[in-house]
Amino acid sequence: MASPLADRIRPSTLDEVVGQTHLLAPGKPLRRIIESGQIPNMIFYGPSGVGKTTVARIIAEKAQMRLHKLNGTSASTADIKAIVEEVHSFAGYRGILLYLDEIQYLNKKQQQSLLEHIENGSITLIASTTENPYFYIYNAVLSRSTVFEFKSVEPEEIEKAVRRGFSILSDEYGEQANVSDEALHRIAVSCGGDVRKAMNSTELCYLSAAVENGVRVVDESLAASLSQRSSMQYDRQGDQHYDIVSALQKSIRGSDENAAVHYLARLLTAGDLLSACRRIMVIACEDIGLAYPQAIPIVKACVDMALQLGLPEARIPLADAVVLLSTAPKSNSAYMAINRAMADVEAGKAGSIPRCLQNKHFDGEDAAVKGQFYKYPHAFPGHYVAQQYLPDTLSGTVYYEFGDNKTEQAAKAYRERMLALYGNNK
């Protein structure tokens, strides 16, 4: 059985790698390290199909060391123990290079078993992961390694790989491919920065293309039909999920409704309706808040409607909510107030509740002054009376500061007018 085109076309030199110029262009840090021949422990972090494994293999082929390859999805403690046992054997006298793909799937004990040997240099570790290493890799391993972040490959770079893929397929099958520029662009754009997906689409397009006069014709419609869903890089438990919901919130906070609608579309295209609903409700309270408090019940109504409708119709009320929030005035005053108050409570700054606010009950015999002495504000002019509400230890503390938007400034003016008129109520 033939291997996938993505493996057959895999680069053998750094110059053949598409993308990652921030790491691999002449003079860039990772390239300098590789060319020096002194390979440190490294972790390659980034989405699938962007060259992590390819670069690690190129390094492994250049290193004059005993090479072992493991994959975190299938590696066992026995596999790691067998490698460690070679450290002091003749086979490992020049050092051992361990290429560990998907390291995030190894448990803490498995990762710990490598510590001593990667620290003293008898084993050099090159690991790759699609998850944030600072969350998924044991700290002691992380502190002994250098992390390099790989990024999604731009469509212009992917087009080069797609052209090369069609050329290789033509040589292998003996039939030339007539590929339109539009088809090349569609494949490159639809893969979402994943070169492996682009190669899979390239192979499918070549094999399913109609043959005319001994030439396989690949046009845009064929490319669209075979790559229309391949652009989705999404994992509800992984970095892609958190990146998209973060981008959605930051776009709304930044009042960019077009970007916000784009990230909403990415969540909904992946079928993640629940995450979209939760995040939009949080944004209404955190980022719009008291600047436009009516947004909160409006967004809640949109979310309720979306959950009742389900996809695909749910996209309509959610789009209404996202555009509303993006174009609304912004305030995080209440959000900051609760954060400050919780920080005090967690730091032990609480104190006894003033007696006038406590639930009615009898005072103990040791109480110097008996009685609750609560003043009922509605019984006073302006429905206001001055009395202490915060505990003694926090008296005078300010958590909430009025925002500079119209709604909160109106509330501030009302407060100041009320204090001026009724602040001396007794």
Side-chain angles (χ1 to χ4, degrees):
M1 182 177 177
S3 61
L5 177 62
D7 284 333
R8 306 202 301 274
I9 200 175
R10 194 181 293 277
S12 57
T13 67
L14 295 177
D15 291 327
E16 293 177 353
V17 177
V18 295
Q20 314 312 328
T21 54
H22 66 294
L23 297 175
L24 300 175
K28 295 298 182 179
L30 182 55
R31 178 123 185 186
R32 285 183 176 179
I33 289 172
I34 296 170
E35 291 175 344
S36 73
Q38 301 298 313
I39 309 301
N41 299 310
M42 295 185 288
I43 295 172
F44 294 165
Y45 157 53
S48 299
V50 298
K52 302 186 302 297
T53 299
T54 295
V55 173
R57 286 184 175 181
I58 292 172
I59 295 172
E61 289 171 2
K62 291 180 176 294
Q64 300 298 310
M65 302 166 68
R66 175 76 167 176
L67 175 63
H68 285 279
K69 299 177 183 178
L70 292 178
N71 189 295
T73 60
S74 57
S76 65
T77 303
D79 295 327
I80 296 174
K81 184 177 179 181
I83 294 171
V84 170
E85 287 175 350
E86 284 192 13
V87 168
H88 301 297
S89 69
F90 179 77
Y93 81 101
R94 297 188 67 174
I96 294 173
L97 178 63
L98 171 60
Y99 168 48
L100 183 51
D101 198 11
E102 304 290 357
I103 187 176
Q104 74 270 16
Y105 290 108
L106 293 186
N107 60 40
K108 183 177 178 179
K109 183 177 180 180
Q110 289 173 316
Q111 293 185 38
Q112 282 181 315
S113 65
L114 293 168
L115 276 180
E116 175 187 350
H117 305 288
I118 64 175
E119 187 169 29
N120 64 27
S122 55
I123 290 179
T124 298
L125 175 68
I126 299 178
S128 67
T129 176
T130 56
E131 304 292 349
N132 190 325
Y134 300 100
F135 295 157
Y136 291 92
I137 297 179
Y138 181 47
N139 252 350
V141 173
L142 203 58
S143 67
R144 291 162 174 80
S145 309
T146 303
V147 177
F148 291 99
E149 183 176 0
F150 284 60
K151 300 179 180 179
S152 296
V153 183
E154 295 298 323
E156 296 78 14
E157 291 293 317
I158 292 179
E159 275 195 37
K160 299 175 185 177
V162 172
R163 288 183 184 276
R164 183 166 168 247
F166 276 117
S167 176
I168 288 176
L169 288 167
S170 296
D171 291 341
E172 289 178 349
Y173 288 92
E175 290 180 326
Q176 292 301 307
N178 181 5
V179 186
S180 69
D181 291 340
E182 293 78 11
L184 285 170
H185 181 70
R186 174 59 72 108
I187 295 172
V189 170
S190 298
C191 69
D194 186 328
V195 181
R196 187 182 297 110
K197 284 185 177 180
M199 292 301 98
N200 291 341
S201 295
T202 298
E203 190 163 22
L204 286 173
C205 286
Y206 181 88
L207 295 175
S208 61
V211 179
E212 298 178 5
N213 299 321
V215 177
R216 293 180 181 259
V217 179
V218 180
D219 57 18
E220 185 180 12
S221 63
L222 177 62
S225 66
L226 293 175
S227 59
Q228 57 185 342
R229 292 281 295 180
S230 66
S231 63
M232 289 306 302
Q233 281 193 354
Y234 191 77
D235 178 354
R236 294 190 188 191
Q237 302 300 320
D239 288 346
Q240 283 292 321
H241 165 79
Y242 295 108
D243 286 347
I244 293 174
V245 293
S246 174
L248 173 64
Q249 181 160 7
K250 289 171 181 172
S251 298
I252 292 176
R253 184 184 296 152
S255 299
D256 189 331
E257 64 276 11
N258 296 305
V261 169
H262 168 77
Y263 293 116
L264 173 65
R266 289 174 69 162
L267 284 172
L268 298 183
T269 302
D272 198 351
L273 175 61
L274 189 58
S275 290
C277 290
R278 286 174 172 171
R279 183 59 56 153
I280 290 169
M281 287 193 292
V282 168
I283 295 167
C285 299
E286 178 180 343
D287 294 303
I288 284 74
L290 300 179
Y292 181 36
Q294 296 94 327
I296 297 173
I298 292 172
V299 167
K300 178 60 166 60
C302 289
V303 166
D304 288 345
M305 190 180 300
L307 292 175
Q308 286 185 342
L309 290 171
L311 290 170
E313 288 82 0
R315 74 191 189 283
I316 303 170
L318 292 186
D320 289 337
V322 163
V323 172
L324 174 73
L325 296 177
S326 298
T327 56
K330 307 296 190 293
S331 173
N332 69 341
S333 57
Y335 168 75
M336 296 302 295
I338 188 61
N339 286 352
R340 295 179 186 120
M342 291 189 72
D344 272 357
V345 172
E346 290 168 0
K349 298 179 182 178
S352 299
I353 296 173
R355 180 68 184 91
C356 64
L357 302 185
Q358 294 174 8
N359 191 32
K360 290 184 179 180
H361 54 74
F362 292 103
D363 296 297
E365 290 300 323
D366 58 336
V369 180
K370 291 182 171 55
Q372 186 175 27
F373 304 107
Y374 171 62
K375 298 174 184 177
Y376 186 58
H378 296 303
F380 291 81
H383 303 269
Y384 175 80
V385 62
Q387 65 184 323
Q388 181 178 332
Y389 292 95
L390 276 169
D392 291 340
T393 55
L394 292 171
S395 182
T397 300
V398 175
Y399 293 120
Y400 170 72
E401 297 178 357
F402 290 94
D404 58 4
N405 56 82
K406 180 180 178 180
T407 302
E408 289 183 86
Q409 285 301 304
K412 181 181 180 182
Y414 168 77
R415 167 69 59 80
E416 291 172 346
R417 185 169 62 254
M418 181 179 64
L419 289 174
L421 291 173
Y422 308 112
N424 293 322
N425 281 349
K426 302 270 179 145

